[in-house]
Amino acid sequence: MELVIINNHPWAVGLRWLPPVKRRFVGHKALLAQVQEMDGSFDVSARCHSKQGVQFGFGAAGESWARYAPMPALCPCLDVPPDFLGLFSFRSTEGKEFWWLHLRIGGAVAEFGDQVFYSEQEARDALALMKKIAGLQVETGDSPMASAMFLEDRVRLTPLEKWVRGKGHLSNLKKLASHSTVRRMAGLAAIVTVILSVAFFWSYYADRAAREAARQAREERIQRKTDLESHPEKFFPMTWQEKPLATDFVAACLPVMMDLPLSSNGWELQSAICNGKKVTLEWKHASGADFIRLPDGARLDEKDLRTARSSIALKPVDSRRPDGPGTDHFMLLNREESLGLLAEITQSTATKLTPPSFRPQKNRTIDKVKVIAPWHEANWELSSIPDLLMESKTGPDGIGLFAMLAEIPGLTVESITFNNGWSMKGSIYARH
């Protein structure tokens, strides 16, 4: 074996190569057994990968192992055509002149395709024999400079290939772990250590960031739940704030209802209902009335031809409630107080009250938190109302039915009905 300088780097040449095998790993004992069959003087080995498989090359370093240990073999790192024959002149690192014969067939290094000769004549005789056998054109380097110039662009060995893949690595067969193997393993261990360290720190900081994000999300959920439970009124419409006061409602309805005729074109007024936006009239056919001349704006009921219906539109009610939009729901009374006031009004006005039955509080789920409305809703109805109380204005004493109803927070009038007497319906909202 000898060392040549290419690209200012020493390379080992002069190994004997076995044919390619498909196995990528051969144990130390198997390599020693192969050496005993070939030549007992061989004490170093190298691997060369090709399309046909993996080749193992053997050489003799002897006492010069220290010189070869850090140097890669040239053949595994040489990028030449699959079929190649060349003879190159070199001067070893010790100044000795020699010739190197290199032969590849089908991408694999021939068994004697990595030979070193110290006689030019012997080298050329071997070249002639190889040319005759292989039938290839010959590349030659007649001087060490010409040889180096030809090969320097054809040598391929990156740090990754050298330290991780072990490309061109020479192993000492007399030792389980050579110096180069130790360096290689140390390099691999260093790389693995760096990778594991980076992975550890990345995992640590990623885990810490995840824990911090989870903590913030948990605090936000707790704060969100607290806000939802502390201010549930924000998530339910305060419907009563959008409705007019009872006094404003009746001021829009009664003037029109009091001016209605009890009959028109022979049709008798059966009922009149005001919802604050319009007055709906129902007429009944009486003797002497005809079906051609109906009350103004009325239409026959297709299911009951003796009934006709008409409506009168009202002007929008302009009303401002003391508990209108922007005010707090705490102005509402509780259920007992609301019932007590309605009962007192009923007793004072000699009317009949259908007591309100409060429904369960509304609820909804927001961000997985159940939010319950802080008030109840109920419907109420007053009937048998005397005609004297059906006035939009209060009396001289400042007291009237609708004025008393308007004093109850959360109370709304939904309709006023005349049908052989007066009645009204509405809604009331009360705190829990």
Side-chain angles (χ1 to χ4, degrees):
M1 293 174 59
E2 291 290 348
L3 292 176
V4 299
I5 303 297
I6 302 174
N7 290 334
N8 297 320
H9 190 282
W11 303 85
V13 294
L15 282 74
R16 183 174 171 184
W17 294 88
L18 296 179
V21 294
K22 293 300 182 181
R23 289 189 302 169
R24 291 185 174 271
F25 176 79
V26 176
H28 186 75
K29 291 183 178 180
L31 292 177
L32 287 177
Q34 186 66 47
V35 163
Q36 294 300 322
E37 293 182 6
M38 297 173 61
D39 188 338
S41 65
F42 289 155
D43 55 7
V44 298
S45 68
R47 290 188 306 171
C48 182
H49 294 264
S50 67
K51 292 183 178 180
Q52 300 180 28
V54 180
Q55 289 185 267
F56 290 89
F58 302 94
E63 296 179 356
S64 302
W65 165 246
R67 294 175 51 231
Y68 292 101
M71 310 308 172
L74 179 60
C75 284
C77 306
L78 195 60
D79 185 11
V80 293
D83 296 306
F84 179 84
L85 176 61
L87 181 64
F88 302 96
S89 173
F90 284 111
R91 192 172 296 279
S92 71
T93 56
E94 297 178 333
K96 186 188 300 182
E97 185 179 9
F98 68 92
W99 285 263
W100 178 56
L101 176 67
H102 182 50
L103 173 63
R104 290 195 185 200
I105 299 176
V109 181
E111 180 178 0
F112 297 99
D114 183 11
Q115 290 189 77
V116 171
F117 298 92
Y118 298 99
S119 166
E120 182 179 1
Q121 185 59 48
E122 290 182 5
R124 294 197 177 276
D125 290 344
L127 177 66
L129 178 61
M130 295 294 180
K131 183 179 179 181
K132 183 177 181 180
I133 295 174
L136 299 174
Q137 294 296 321
V138 180
E139 296 286 348
T140 59
D142 296 329
S143 66
M145 181 176 294
S147 299
M149 289 180 61
F150 178 83
L151 295 174
E152 63 184 6
D153 292 334
R154 293 169 172 80
V155 175
R156 304 283 188 270
L157 182 61
T158 64
L160 180 65
E161 291 174 328
K162 180 178 180 180
W163 294 106
V164 178
R165 295 181 58 191
K167 187 176 181 181
H169 168 68
L170 289 176
S171 297
N172 191 333
L173 295 175
K174 304 301 182 181
K175 299 179 181 180
L176 289 177
S178 63
H179 292 298
S180 57
T181 300
V182 172
R183 285 196 299 271
R184 180 187 174 200
M185 296 305 296
L188 288 174
I191 294 173
V192 171
T193 301
V194 171
I195 294 174
L196 291 178
S197 299
V198 172
F200 171 77
F201 284 108
W202 181 87
S203 176
Y204 171 76
Y205 286 108
D207 183 62
R208 189 172 72 172
R211 290 199 304 270
E212 178 63 19
R215 184 188 64 80
Q216 292 181 359
R218 184 168 58 254
E219 291 181 353
E220 290 175 0
R221 287 196 301 270
I222 294 173
Q223 184 60 45
R224 176 65 168 165
K225 182 178 180 181
T226 301
D227 293 340
L228 290 172
E229 293 176 345
S230 301
H231 301 283
E233 70 277 1
K234 295 180 180 180
F235 306 96
F236 298 92
M238 300 184 188
T239 308
W240 69 90
Q241 294 184 347
E242 302 172 0
K243 300 296 181 66
L245 288 170
T247 50
D248 296 319
F249 188 93
V250 74
C253 291
L254 282 186
V256 175
M257 298 183 76
M258 290 297 185
D259 196 37
L260 293 174
L262 296 179
S263 64
S264 176
N265 296 330
W267 290 77
E268 295 181 354
L269 180 63
Q270 182 69 21
S271 67
I273 303 174
C274 179
N275 63 4
K277 297 180 181 180
K278 66 179 180 179
V279 178
T280 302
L281 308 176
E282 181 178 310
W283 303 87
K284 287 296 183 179
H285 185 269
S287 58
D290 60 55
F291 292 94
I292 302 301
R293 298 175 60 203
L294 301 176
D296 291 342
R299 292 185 177 183
L300 290 175
D301 187 334
E302 295 181 359
K303 295 182 180 180
D304 183 5
L305 297 180
R306 299 183 63 83
T307 300
R309 291 184 172 82
S310 62
S311 63
I312 303 172
L314 303 179
K315 294 180 180 180
V317 179
D318 185 14
S319 174
R320 293 187 178 181
R321 299 179 63 100
D323 57 349
T327 59
D328 202 305
H329 69 286
F330 286 110
M331 293 186 66
L332 296 176
L333 303 176
N334 59 40
R335 289 181 292 179
E336 290 75 14
E337 293 171 335
S338 299
L339 288 172
L341 285 177
L342 280 175
E344 185 66 25
I345 292 173
T346 302
Q347 179 175 301
S348 301
T349 57
T351 56
K352 183 180 179 181
L353 172 67
T354 300
S357 177
F358 287 97
R359 295 184 288 275
Q361 294 160 280
K362 292 182 178 179
N363 66 82
R364 56 185 301 194
T365 301
I366 303 175
D367 295 340
K368 299 182 179 180
V369 178
K370 186 176 182 180
V371 183
I372 301 175
W375 55 75
H376 293 267
E377 303 176 19
N379 297 327
W380 58 270
E381 180 178 358
L382 277 180
S383 57
S384 302
I385 304 174
D387 293 344
L388 294 175
L389 297 179
M390 299 303 293
E391 295 181 2
S392 58
K393 298 180 180 180
T394 59
D397 54 0
I399 299 177
L401 173 61
F402 294 97
M404 289 187 288
L405 292 175
E407 292 296 324
I408 301 177
L411 183 138
T412 65
V413 178
E414 306 294 338
S415 65
I416 298 177
T417 301
F418 174 77
N419 187 355
N420 294 324
W422 294 94
S423 64
M424 69 178 73
K425 296 180 180 180
S427 299
I428 188 168
Y429 299 78
R431 286 188 288 111
H432 179 61

